[in-house]
Amino acid sequence: FPVTIPLAGKFPSFSTIWFETSNQDALKAWKAENPGVAEEAAWRGTRTHNWAEDYLLSGANSGDRTMPELGEDNADIKGFCYSLMPELFRMGEVVWAEESINNGKPDGKHSCVWHPELKYSGRPDIIAYNESGLCLYDIKTCNFPYYAQLPMEPNYKQKLADKEITWMDIPREIRAGMLKYKKVRSQLLAYAVACEVSIGIKVDSVCALISLPDQCCQSFTIKRDSKEWGWAWKHWLEKLDKFYSSSKKN
């Protein structure tokens, strides 16, 4: 949904832009084949986010964080929460948890970020200090891993180049994991740049935390001075161009 920004107008969200510039037929087909799965995943993700934020903001004054209890109502997210724990332990002071934070509590200043020139908005999950500086985090829950690139074995990349296989011959979960990574990478860069230009928070890195049930959490970090930062930002600019150049946006 569009977010109304004082003095800046109404900008579409990252999610809206990504959805409208993606293959909607494929998404509709997947939802038809998997009824209720998307809604269940969204509800699971919301509760896992809330649990993580409750932990990160606890003990702001004492410096002693308390792990929130997971009752029977949240039995289905225990595995995802336990997966996240080691990564949450590494986070220091939190300055954003879906809104701006001061001394462990929302300060009422900001609840979203935006880019006044590129005309998009969003709501980052977490911005916190770690051993490398200030980092913008996005937390995802998923039943299968994300992939930044094709696995080395059984050498899908070479087989694709030699035309021994096609993209559709690669297992579905790997294909989905690569597409999900591409999306979250662009999301992180979109939010990082918007944070800097709209509310003056400049992060040193971004990080996608992929919580897997009863498995180690995946952590994908992109540093500001890396090539991947530039690639991800370029891909997001291409998405924005496609969104605003479409006939219905003119």
mmCIF file of all heavy atoms in Angstrom, residues 14 18 22 27 30 37-38 41-42 44 138 140-149 167 172-188 208-212 218 220 235:
data_model
loop_
_atom_site.group_PDB
_atom_site.id
_atom_site.type_symbol
_atom_site.label_atom_id
_atom_site.label_comp_id
_atom_site.label_asym_id
_atom_site.label_seq_id
_atom_site.Cartn_x
_atom_site.Cartn_y
_atom_site.Cartn_z
ATOM 1 N N PHE A 14 8.076 -0.791 -1.597
ATOM 2 C CA PHE A 14 8.956 -1.727 -2.303
ATOM 3 C C PHE A 14 8.151 -2.936 -2.772
ATOM 4 O O PHE A 14 8.269 -3.380 -3.911
ATOM 5 C CB PHE A 14 10.095 -2.188 -1.392
ATOM 6 C CG PHE A 14 10.909 -3.314 -1.977
ATOM 7 C CD1 PHE A 14 12.013 -3.052 -2.768
ATOM 8 C CD2 PHE A 14 10.542 -4.646 -1.765
ATOM 9 C CE1 PHE A 14 12.750 -4.092 -3.339
ATOM 10 C CE2 PHE A 14 11.269 -5.682 -2.325
ATOM 11 C CZ PHE A 14 12.376 -5.407 -3.117
ATOM 12 N N TRP A 18 7.797 -4.260 -6.586
ATOM 13 C CA TRP A 18 8.352 -5.563 -6.960
ATOM 14 C C TRP A 18 7.273 -6.462 -7.550
ATOM 15 O O TRP A 18 7.471 -7.120 -8.560
ATOM 16 C CB TRP A 18 8.996 -6.232 -5.756
ATOM 17 C CG TRP A 18 9.814 -7.429 -6.141
ATOM 18 C CD1 TRP A 18 9.379 -8.719 -6.270
ATOM 19 C CD2 TRP A 18 11.199 -7.435 -6.487
ATOM 20 N NE1 TRP A 18 10.406 -9.535 -6.666
ATOM 21 C CE2 TRP A 18 11.541 -8.767 -6.811
ATOM 22 C CE3 TRP A 18 12.192 -6.454 -6.543
ATOM 23 C CZ2 TRP A 18 12.820 -9.152 -7.182
ATOM 24 C CZ3 TRP A 18 13.480 -6.828 -6.913
ATOM 25 C CH2 TRP A 18 13.781 -8.151 -7.220
ATOM 26 N N SER A 22 6.958 -7.981 -11.629
ATOM 27 C CA SER A 22 7.337 -9.393 -11.671
ATOM 28 C C SER A 22 6.303 -10.176 -12.468
ATOM 29 O O SER A 22 5.254 -9.658 -12.856
ATOM 30 C CB SER A 22 7.456 -9.953 -10.254
ATOM 31 O OG SER A 22 8.445 -9.252 -9.517
ATOM 32 N N LEU A 27 3.097 -16.228 -10.267
ATOM 33 C CA LEU A 27 2.719 -16.134 -8.857
ATOM 34 C C LEU A 27 1.290 -16.630 -8.644
ATOM 35 O O LEU A 27 1.016 -17.368 -7.691
ATOM 36 C CB LEU A 27 2.845 -14.692 -8.374
ATOM 37 C CG LEU A 27 2.481 -14.419 -6.911
ATOM 38 C CD1 LEU A 27 3.362 -15.238 -5.988
ATOM 39 C CD2 LEU A 27 2.603 -12.937 -6.587
ATOM 40 N N TRP A 30 1.247 -20.387 -8.842
ATOM 41 C CA TRP A 30 1.803 -21.002 -7.635
ATOM 42 C C TRP A 30 0.783 -20.956 -6.496
ATOM 43 O O TRP A 30 0.602 -21.947 -5.775
ATOM 44 C CB TRP A 30 3.074 -20.280 -7.219
ATOM 45 C CG TRP A 30 3.721 -20.877 -6.007
ATOM 46 C CD1 TRP A 30 4.602 -21.917 -5.966
ATOM 47 C CD2 TRP A 30 3.496 -20.487 -4.643
ATOM 48 N NE1 TRP A 30 4.949 -22.199 -4.660
ATOM 49 C CE2 TRP A 30 4.288 -21.342 -3.833
ATOM 50 C CE3 TRP A 30 2.714 -19.505 -4.037
ATOM 51 C CZ2 TRP A 30 4.312 -21.232 -2.454
ATOM 52 C CZ3 TRP A 30 2.733 -19.400 -2.650
ATOM 53 C CH2 TRP A 30 3.525 -20.251 -1.880
ATOM 54 N N VAL A 37 -0.911 -21.193 1.462
ATOM 55 C CA VAL A 37 0.490 -21.262 1.894
ATOM 56 C C VAL A 37 1.077 -19.867 2.074
ATOM 57 O O VAL A 37 1.778 -19.596 3.058
ATOM 58 C CB VAL A 37 1.329 -22.076 0.891
ATOM 59 C CG1 VAL A 37 2.811 -21.999 1.247
ATOM 60 C CG2 VAL A 37 0.868 -23.528 0.881
ATOM 61 N N ALA A 38 0.806 -18.958 1.132
ATOM 62 C CA ALA A 38 1.357 -17.598 1.213
ATOM 63 C C ALA A 38 0.839 -16.876 2.456
ATOM 64 O O ALA A 38 1.603 -16.193 3.153
ATOM 65 C CB ALA A 38 1.007 -16.814 -0.049
ATOM 66 N N ALA A 41 2.468 -18.318 5.571
ATOM 67 C CA ALA A 41 3.856 -17.879 5.689
ATOM 68 C C ALA A 41 3.929 -16.442 6.188
ATOM 69 O O ALA A 41 4.803 -16.093 6.994
ATOM 70 C CB ALA A 41 4.559 -18.013 4.346
ATOM 71 N N ALA A 42 3.011 -15.591 5.705
ATOM 72 C CA ALA A 42 3.004 -14.186 6.124
ATOM 73 C C ALA A 42 2.694 -14.072 7.622
ATOM 74 O O ALA A 42 3.337 -13.304 8.347
ATOM 75 C CB ALA A 42 1.980 -13.407 5.311
ATOM 76 N N ARG A 44 3.138 -16.427 9.903
ATOM 77 C CA ARG A 44 4.298 -16.998 10.603
ATOM 78 C C ARG A 44 5.428 -15.980 10.680
ATOM 79 O O ARG A 44 6.051 -15.792 11.734
ATOM 80 C CB ARG A 44 4.768 -18.236 9.845
ATOM 81 C CG ARG A 44 6.007 -18.907 10.399
ATOM 82 C CD ARG A 44 6.473 -19.973 9.431
ATOM 83 N NE ARG A 44 7.032 -19.406 8.209
ATOM 84 C CZ ARG A 44 7.077 -20.023 7.033
ATOM 85 N NH1 ARG A 44 6.576 -21.234 6.899
ATOM 86 N NH2 ARG A 44 7.616 -19.433 5.990
ATOM 87 N N ASP A 138 17.138 -7.620 7.358
ATOM 88 C CA ASP A 138 15.801 -8.063 6.973
ATOM 89 C C ASP A 138 15.678 -9.530 7.379
ATOM 90 O O ASP A 138 16.548 -10.348 7.055
ATOM 91 C CB ASP A 138 15.562 -7.919 5.473
ATOM 92 C CG ASP A 138 14.080 -8.007 5.135
ATOM 93 O OD1 ASP A 138 13.407 -6.959 5.155
ATOM 94 O OD2 ASP A 138 13.580 -9.120 4.878
ATOM 95 N N LYS A 140 13.687 -13.064 7.262
ATOM 96 C CA LYS A 140 12.750 -13.886 6.499
ATOM 97 C C LYS A 140 12.608 -15.242 7.172
ATOM 98 O O LYS A 140 13.554 -15.754 7.788
ATOM 99 C CB LYS A 140 13.241 -14.104 5.064
ATOM 100 C CG LYS A 140 13.514 -12.833 4.272
ATOM 101 C CD LYS A 140 12.259 -12.068 3.969
ATOM 102 C CE LYS A 140 12.540 -10.887 3.045
ATOM 103 N NZ LYS A 140 11.362 -9.995 2.899
ATOM 104 N N THR A 141 11.437 -15.848 7.056
ATOM 105 C CA THR A 141 11.257 -17.238 7.473
ATOM 106 C C THR A 141 10.962 -18.049 6.223
ATOM 107 O O THR A 141 10.220 -17.606 5.345
ATOM 108 C CB THR A 141 10.087 -17.393 8.465
ATOM 109 O OG1 THR A 141 8.867 -16.974 7.846
ATOM 110 C CG2 THR A 141 10.332 -16.573 9.717
ATOM 111 N N CYS A 142 11.564 -19.214 6.119
ATOM 112 C CA CYS A 142 11.372 -20.032 4.929
ATOM 113 C C CYS A 142 11.608 -21.499 5.281
ATOM 114 O O CYS A 142 12.398 -21.808 6.179
ATOM 115 C CB CYS A 142 12.331 -19.595 3.822
ATOM 116 S SG CYS A 142 11.894 -20.226 2.182
ATOM 117 N N ASN A 143 10.933 -22.384 4.568
ATOM 118 C CA ASN A 143 11.104 -23.812 4.812
ATOM 119 C C ASN A 143 12.253 -24.412 4.021
ATOM 120 O O ASN A 143 12.570 -25.590 4.180
ATOM 121 C CB ASN A 143 9.807 -24.559 4.478
ATOM 122 C CG ASN A 143 8.725 -24.326 5.521
ATOM 123 O OD1 ASN A 143 8.973 -24.411 6.718
ATOM 124 N ND2 ASN A 143 7.524 -24.014 5.067
ATOM 125 N N PHE A 144 12.868 -23.614 3.154
ATOM 126 C CA PHE A 144 14.017 -24.088 2.374
ATOM 127 C C PHE A 144 15.032 -22.958 2.254
ATOM 128 O O PHE A 144 14.691 -21.777 2.409
ATOM 129 C CB PHE A 144 13.586 -24.595 0.995
ATOM 130 C CG PHE A 144 12.780 -23.604 0.195
ATOM 131 C CD1 PHE A 144 13.396 -22.626 -0.574
ATOM 132 C CD2 PHE A 144 11.388 -23.651 0.206
ATOM 133 C CE1 PHE A 144 12.670 -21.713 -1.308
ATOM 134 C CE2 PHE A 144 10.647 -22.736 -0.525
ATOM 135 C CZ PHE A 144 11.286 -21.778 -1.287
ATOM 136 N N PRO A 145 16.289 -23.273 1.984
ATOM 137 C CA PRO A 145 17.342 -22.249 1.954
ATOM 138 C C PRO A 145 17.212 -21.272 0.789
ATOM 139 O O PRO A 145 16.599 -21.574 -0.234
ATOM 140 C CB PRO A 145 18.635 -23.067 1.822
ATOM 141 C CG PRO A 145 18.264 -24.463 2.191
ATOM 142 C CD PRO A 145 16.834 -24.627 1.806
ATOM 143 N N TYR A 146 17.801 -20.087 0.988
ATOM 144 C CA TYR A 146 17.995 -19.144 -0.104
ATOM 145 C C TYR A 146 19.338 -19.470 -0.765
ATOM 146 O O TYR A 146 20.220 -20.062 -0.144
ATOM 147 C CB TYR A 146 18.042 -17.708 0.421
ATOM 148 C CG TYR A 146 16.695 -17.087 0.725
ATOM 149 C CD1 TYR A 146 15.598 -17.854 1.121
ATOM 150 C CD2 TYR A 146 16.525 -15.707 0.644
ATOM 151 C CE1 TYR A 146 14.378 -17.265 1.414
ATOM 152 C CE2 TYR A 146 15.305 -15.112 0.927
ATOM 153 C CZ TYR A 146 14.237 -15.888 1.316
ATOM 154 O OH TYR A 146 13.026 -15.298 1.605
ATOM 155 N N TYR A 147 19.492 -19.036 -2.009
ATOM 156 C CA TYR A 147 20.741 -19.271 -2.733
ATOM 157 C C TYR A 147 21.193 -17.967 -3.396
ATOM 158 O O TYR A 147 20.458 -17.385 -4.197
ATOM 159 C CB TYR A 147 20.569 -20.339 -3.814
ATOM 160 C CG TYR A 147 20.345 -21.729 -3.276
ATOM 161 C CD1 TYR A 147 19.057 -22.190 -2.996
ATOM 162 C CD2 TYR A 147 21.420 -22.585 -3.034
ATOM 163 C CE1 TYR A 147 18.852 -23.470 -2.486
ATOM 164 C CE2 TYR A 147 21.226 -23.866 -2.530
ATOM 165 C CZ TYR A 147 19.931 -24.291 -2.258
ATOM 166 O OH TYR A 147 19.734 -25.553 -1.765
ATOM 167 N N ALA A 148 22.403 -17.515 -3.050
ATOM 168 C CA ALA A 148 22.976 -16.348 -3.703
ATOM 169 C C ALA A 148 23.482 -16.701 -5.092
ATOM 170 O O ALA A 148 23.609 -15.845 -5.962
ATOM 171 C CB ALA A 148 24.106 -15.763 -2.863
ATOM 172 N N GLN A 149 23.793 -17.972 -5.295
ATOM 173 C CA GLN A 149 24.238 -18.473 -6.590
ATOM 174 C C GLN A 149 23.929 -19.964 -6.666
ATOM 175 O O GLN A 149 23.574 -20.582 -5.664
ATOM 176 C CB GLN A 149 25.733 -18.236 -6.789
ATOM 177 C CG GLN A 149 26.598 -18.867 -5.718
ATOM 178 C CD GLN A 149 28.055 -18.479 -5.844
ATOM 179 O OE1 GLN A 149 28.433 -17.714 -6.716
ATOM 180 N NE2 GLN A 149 28.887 -19.029 -4.975
ATOM 181 N N TRP A 167 16.996 -24.116 -17.327
ATOM 182 C CA TRP A 167 16.709 -23.559 -16.009
ATOM 183 C C TRP A 167 15.632 -24.380 -15.289
ATOM 184 O O TRP A 167 15.715 -24.622 -14.085
ATOM 185 C CB TRP A 167 16.273 -22.105 -16.164
ATOM 186 C CG TRP A 167 15.764 -21.447 -14.921
ATOM 187 C CD1 TRP A 167 14.481 -21.092 -14.649
ATOM 188 C CD2 TRP A 167 16.529 -21.069 -13.765
ATOM 189 N NE1 TRP A 167 14.389 -20.507 -13.407
ATOM 190 C CE2 TRP A 167 15.645 -20.474 -12.841
ATOM 191 C CE3 TRP A 167 17.883 -21.160 -13.428
ATOM 192 C CZ2 TRP A 167 16.038 -19.988 -11.613
ATOM 193 C CZ3 TRP A 167 18.282 -20.673 -12.181
ATOM 194 C CH2 TRP A 167 17.376 -20.096 -11.295
ATOM 195 N N ARG A 172 13.177 -27.263 -8.088
ATOM 196 C CA ARG A 172 12.296 -26.110 -7.850
ATOM 197 C C ARG A 172 12.727 -25.282 -6.639
ATOM 198 O O ARG A 172 12.699 -24.057 -6.674
ATOM 199 C CB ARG A 172 10.860 -26.617 -7.664
ATOM 200 C CG ARG A 172 9.830 -25.524 -7.477
ATOM 201 C CD ARG A 172 8.436 -26.125 -7.362
ATOM 202 N NE ARG A 172 7.438 -25.094 -7.191
ATOM 203 C CZ ARG A 172 6.133 -25.359 -7.059
ATOM 204 N NH1 ARG A 172 5.717 -26.617 -7.081
ATOM 205 N NH2 ARG A 172 5.273 -24.376 -6.891
ATOM 206 N N GLU A 173 13.127 -25.943 -5.551
ATOM 207 C CA GLU A 173 13.498 -25.204 -4.347
ATOM 208 C C GLU A 173 14.754 -24.363 -4.565
ATOM 209 O O GLU A 173 14.889 -23.284 -3.984
ATOM 210 C CB GLU A 173 13.695 -26.165 -3.174
ATOM 211 C CG GLU A 173 12.385 -26.715 -2.633
ATOM 212 C CD GLU A 173 12.559 -27.420 -1.307
ATOM 213 O OE1 GLU A 173 13.718 -27.580 -0.862
ATOM 214 O OE2 GLU A 173 11.542 -27.813 -0.704
ATOM 215 N N ILE A 174 15.677 -24.838 -5.389
ATOM 216 C CA ILE A 174 16.874 -24.044 -5.685
ATOM 217 C C ILE A 174 16.504 -22.836 -6.523
ATOM 218 O O ILE A 174 16.961 -21.714 -6.267
ATOM 219 C CB ILE A 174 17.934 -24.907 -6.403
ATOM 220 C CG1 ILE A 174 18.451 -25.999 -5.459
ATOM 221 C CG2 ILE A 174 19.099 -24.040 -6.896
ATOM 222 C CD1 ILE A 174 19.459 -26.940 -6.083
ATOM 223 N N ARG A 175 15.651 -23.038 -7.522
ATOM 224 C CA ARG A 175 15.216 -21.913 -8.345
ATOM 225 C C ARG A 175 14.485 -20.880 -7.500
ATOM 226 O O ARG A 175 14.728 -19.671 -7.616
ATOM 227 C CB ARG A 175 14.309 -22.404 -9.480
ATOM 228 C CG ARG A 175 15.051 -23.160 -10.579
ATOM 229 C CD ARG A 175 14.144 -23.526 -11.739
ATOM 230 N NE ARG A 175 13.348 -24.708 -11.453
ATOM 231 C CZ ARG A 175 12.029 -24.740 -11.401
ATOM 232 N NH1 ARG A 175 11.327 -23.628 -11.598
ATOM 233 N NH2 ARG A 175 11.376 -25.866 -11.146
ATOM 234 N N ALA A 176 13.598 -21.360 -6.635
ATOM 235 C CA ALA A 176 12.856 -20.445 -5.769
ATOM 236 C C ALA A 176 13.789 -19.736 -4.797
ATOM 237 O O ALA A 176 13.634 -18.531 -4.541
ATOM 238 C CB ALA A 176 11.783 -21.216 -5.005
ATOM 239 N N GLY A 177 14.766 -20.461 -4.262
ATOM 240 C CA GLY A 177 15.715 -19.864 -3.324
ATOM 241 C C GLY A 177 16.552 -18.773 -3.961
ATOM 242 O O GLY A 177 16.873 -17.761 -3.323
ATOM 243 N N MET A 178 16.907 -18.935 -5.234
ATOM 244 C CA MET A 178 17.677 -17.910 -5.930
ATOM 245 C C MET A 178 16.826 -16.665 -6.201
ATOM 246 O O MET A 178 17.297 -15.531 -6.049
ATOM 247 C CB MET A 178 18.230 -18.475 -7.240
ATOM 248 C CG MET A 178 19.320 -19.513 -7.052
ATOM 249 S SD MET A 178 20.119 -19.992 -8.590
ATOM 250 C CE MET A 178 21.074 -18.490 -8.952
ATOM 251 N N LEU A 179 15.585 -16.875 -6.587
ATOM 252 C CA LEU A 179 14.692 -15.746 -6.841
ATOM 253 C C LEU A 179 14.391 -14.982 -5.560
ATOM 254 O O LEU A 179 14.339 -13.743 -5.555
ATOM 255 C CB LEU A 179 13.396 -16.239 -7.483
ATOM 256 C CG LEU A 179 13.531 -16.803 -8.903
ATOM 257 C CD1 LEU A 179 12.212 -17.400 -9.374
ATOM 258 C CD2 LEU A 179 14.002 -15.723 -9.875
ATOM 259 N N LYS A 180 14.218 -15.705 -4.462
ATOM 260 C CA LYS A 180 13.961 -15.046 -3.185
ATOM 261 C C LYS A 180 15.175 -14.232 -2.728
ATOM 262 O O LYS A 180 15.031 -13.127 -2.189
ATOM 263 C CB LYS A 180 13.597 -16.092 -2.119
ATOM 264 C CG LYS A 180 12.183 -16.655 -2.254
ATOM 265 C CD LYS A 180 11.914 -17.701 -1.193
ATOM 266 C CE LYS A 180 10.466 -18.171 -1.231
ATOM 267 N NZ LYS A 180 9.530 -17.133 -0.773
ATOM 268 N N TYR A 181 16.361 -14.769 -2.960
ATOM 269 C CA TYR A 181 17.561 -14.023 -2.586
ATOM 270 C C TYR A 181 17.682 -12.747 -3.410
ATOM 271 O O TYR A 181 18.014 -11.674 -2.887
ATOM 272 C CB TYR A 181 18.821 -14.864 -2.772
ATOM 273 C CG TYR A 181 20.072 -14.069 -2.494
ATOM 274 C CD1 TYR A 181 20.433 -13.761 -1.186
ATOM 275 C CD2 TYR A 181 20.857 -13.565 -3.532
ATOM 276 C CE1 TYR A 181 21.553 -12.985 -0.915
ATOM 277 C CE2 TYR A 181 21.973 -12.801 -3.272
ATOM 278 C CZ TYR A 181 22.320 -12.511 -1.960
ATOM 279 O OH TYR A 181 23.425 -11.733 -1.709
ATOM 280 N N LYS A 182 17.404 -12.847 -4.701
ATOM 281 C CA LYS A 182 17.492 -11.676 -5.573
ATOM 282 C C LYS A 182 16.540 -10.579 -5.101
ATOM 283 O O LYS A 182 16.884 -9.390 -5.114
ATOM 284 C CB LYS A 182 17.159 -12.085 -7.009
ATOM 285 C CG LYS A 182 17.549 -11.065 -8.059
ATOM 286 C CD LYS A 182 17.360 -11.638 -9.453
ATOM 287 C CE LYS A 182 17.849 -10.670 -10.520
ATOM 288 N NZ LYS A 182 17.694 -11.244 -11.890
ATOM 289 N N LYS A 183 15.362 -10.993 -4.649
ATOM 290 C CA LYS A 183 14.389 -10.012 -4.166
ATOM 291 C C LYS A 183 14.854 -9.358 -2.870
ATOM 292 O O LYS A 183 14.831 -8.131 -2.742
ATOM 293 C CB LYS A 183 13.029 -10.677 -3.955
ATOM 294 C CG LYS A 183 11.985 -9.727 -3.378
ATOM 295 C CD LYS A 183 10.657 -10.421 -3.134
ATOM 296 C CE LYS A 183 9.653 -9.469 -2.499
ATOM 297 N NZ LYS A 183 8.356 -10.146 -2.226
ATOM 298 N N VAL A 184 15.271 -10.161 -1.884
ATOM 299 C CA VAL A 184 15.648 -9.583 -0.595
ATOM 300 C C VAL A 184 16.899 -8.722 -0.731
ATOM 301 O O VAL A 184 17.057 -7.717 -0.034
ATOM 302 C CB VAL A 184 15.840 -10.676 0.480
ATOM 303 C CG1 VAL A 184 17.119 -11.470 0.277
ATOM 304 C CG2 VAL A 184 15.825 -10.060 1.878
ATOM 305 N N ARG A 185 17.792 -9.068 -1.655
ATOM 306 C CA ARG A 185 18.981 -8.254 -1.882
ATOM 307 C C ARG A 185 18.596 -6.863 -2.371
ATOM 308 O O ARG A 185 19.109 -5.846 -1.878
ATOM 309 C CB ARG A 185 19.887 -8.951 -2.901
ATOM 310 C CG ARG A 185 21.208 -8.248 -3.141
ATOM 311 C CD ARG A 185 22.061 -8.981 -4.164
ATOM 312 N NE ARG A 185 21.495 -8.876 -5.517
ATOM 313 C CZ ARG A 185 22.112 -9.259 -6.626
ATOM 314 N NH1 ARG A 185 23.308 -9.814 -6.552
ATOM 315 N NH2 ARG A 185 21.551 -9.133 -7.803
ATOM 316 N N SER A 186 17.676 -6.792 -3.319
ATOM 317 C CA SER A 186 17.215 -5.492 -3.807
ATOM 318 C C SER A 186 16.460 -4.736 -2.717
ATOM 319 O O SER A 186 16.585 -3.510 -2.590
ATOM 320 C CB SER A 186 16.313 -5.675 -5.031
ATOM 321 O OG SER A 186 17.049 -6.118 -6.143
ATOM 322 N N GLN A 187 15.672 -5.460 -1.930
ATOM 323 C CA GLN A 187 14.929 -4.835 -0.842
ATOM 324 C C GLN A 187 15.866 -4.182 0.161
ATOM 325 O O GLN A 187 15.652 -3.034 0.589
ATOM 326 C CB GLN A 187 14.058 -5.889 -0.158
ATOM 327 C CG GLN A 187 13.161 -5.341 0.940
ATOM 328 C CD GLN A 187 12.279 -6.425 1.533
ATOM 329 O OE1 GLN A 187 12.528 -7.619 1.350
ATOM 330 N NE2 GLN A 187 11.237 -6.026 2.234
ATOM 331 N N LEU A 188 16.912 -4.882 0.532
ATOM 332 C CA LEU A 188 17.875 -4.343 1.483
ATOM 333 C C LEU A 188 18.534 -3.075 0.959
ATOM 334 O O LEU A 188 18.689 -2.086 1.691
ATOM 335 C CB LEU A 188 18.943 -5.399 1.782
ATOM 336 C CG LEU A 188 18.521 -6.552 2.686
ATOM 337 C CD1 LEU A 188 19.522 -7.692 2.603
ATOM 338 C CD2 LEU A 188 18.361 -6.091 4.127
ATOM 339 N N ALA A 208 20.633 -10.074 5.167
ATOM 340 C CA ALA A 208 19.409 -10.876 5.133
ATOM 341 C C ALA A 208 19.591 -12.067 6.055
ATOM 342 O O ALA A 208 20.548 -12.832 5.921
ATOM 343 C CB ALA A 208 19.124 -11.347 3.713
ATOM 344 N N LEU A 209 18.692 -12.216 7.002
ATOM 345 C CA LEU A 209 18.698 -13.362 7.909
ATOM 346 C C LEU A 209 17.548 -14.282 7.513
ATOM 347 O O LEU A 209 16.376 -13.894 7.598
ATOM 348 C CB LEU A 209 18.531 -12.909 9.360
ATOM 349 C CG LEU A 209 19.648 -12.017 9.924
ATOM 350 C CD1 LEU A 209 19.316 -11.609 11.351
ATOM 351 C CD2 LEU A 209 20.994 -12.735 9.867
ATOM 352 N N ILE A 210 17.881 -15.470 7.057
ATOM 353 C CA ILE A 210 16.881 -16.425 6.601
ATOM 354 C C ILE A 210 16.710 -17.492 7.673
ATOM 355 O O ILE A 210 17.580 -18.355 7.868
ATOM 356 C CB ILE A 210 17.277 -17.077 5.259
ATOM 357 C CG1 ILE A 210 17.810 -16.018 4.285
ATOM 358 C CG2 ILE A 210 16.104 -17.854 4.691
ATOM 359 C CD1 ILE A 210 16.868 -14.871 4.014
ATOM 360 N N SER A 211 15.617 -17.412 8.390
ATOM 361 C CA SER A 211 15.347 -18.342 9.485
ATOM 362 C C SER A 211 14.744 -19.627 8.926
ATOM 363 O O SER A 211 13.711 -19.599 8.251
ATOM 364 C CB SER A 211 14.387 -17.688 10.477
ATOM 365 O OG SER A 211 14.028 -18.584 11.492
ATOM 366 N N LEU A 212 15.393 -20.737 9.213
ATOM 367 C CA LEU A 212 14.966 -22.054 8.729
ATOM 368 C C LEU A 212 14.528 -22.902 9.915
ATOM 369 O O LEU A 212 15.154 -22.864 10.971
ATOM 370 C CB LEU A 212 16.112 -22.739 7.986
ATOM 371 C CG LEU A 212 16.675 -21.968 6.788
ATOM 372 C CD1 LEU A 212 18.009 -22.568 6.360
ATOM 373 C CD2 LEU A 212 15.688 -21.969 5.641
ATOM 374 N N GLN A 218 20.520 -18.748 7.923
ATOM 375 C CA GLN A 218 21.412 -18.245 6.881
ATOM 376 C C GLN A 218 21.623 -16.751 7.077
ATOM 377 O O GLN A 218 20.691 -16.013 7.415
ATOM 378 C CB GLN A 218 20.815 -18.487 5.498
ATOM 379 C CG GLN A 218 20.788 -19.928 5.055
ATOM 380 C CD GLN A 218 20.205 -20.049 3.659
ATOM 381 O OE1 GLN A 218 19.020 -19.802 3.445
ATOM 382 N NE2 GLN A 218 21.034 -20.432 2.699
ATOM 383 N N PHE A 220 23.274 -13.488 4.981
ATOM 384 C CA PHE A 220 23.869 -12.946 3.764
ATOM 385 C C PHE A 220 24.158 -11.460 3.986
ATOM 386 O O PHE A 220 23.237 -10.655 4.081
ATOM 387 C CB PHE A 220 22.917 -13.096 2.572
ATOM 388 C CG PHE A 220 22.580 -14.509 2.202
ATOM 389 C CD1 PHE A 220 21.419 -15.110 2.688
ATOM 390 C CD2 PHE A 220 23.404 -15.240 1.358
ATOM 391 C CE1 PHE A 220 21.097 -16.414 2.334
ATOM 392 C CE2 PHE A 220 23.088 -16.544 0.996
ATOM 393 C CZ PHE A 220 21.938 -17.134 1.484
ATOM 394 N N HIS A 235 19.959 -3.315 -10.065
ATOM 395 C CA HIS A 235 18.766 -4.115 -10.333
ATOM 396 C C HIS A 235 17.520 -3.433 -9.810
ATOM 397 O O HIS A 235 16.457 -3.446 -10.460
ATOM 398 C CB HIS A 235 18.913 -5.499 -9.702
ATOM 399 C CG HIS A 235 17.799 -6.428 -10.055
ATOM 400 N ND1 HIS A 235 16.989 -7.012 -9.108
ATOM 401 C CD2 HIS A 235 17.344 -6.856 -11.264
ATOM 402 C CE1 HIS A 235 16.082 -7.772 -9.709
ATOM 403 N NE2 HIS A 235 16.275 -7.698 -11.008
#
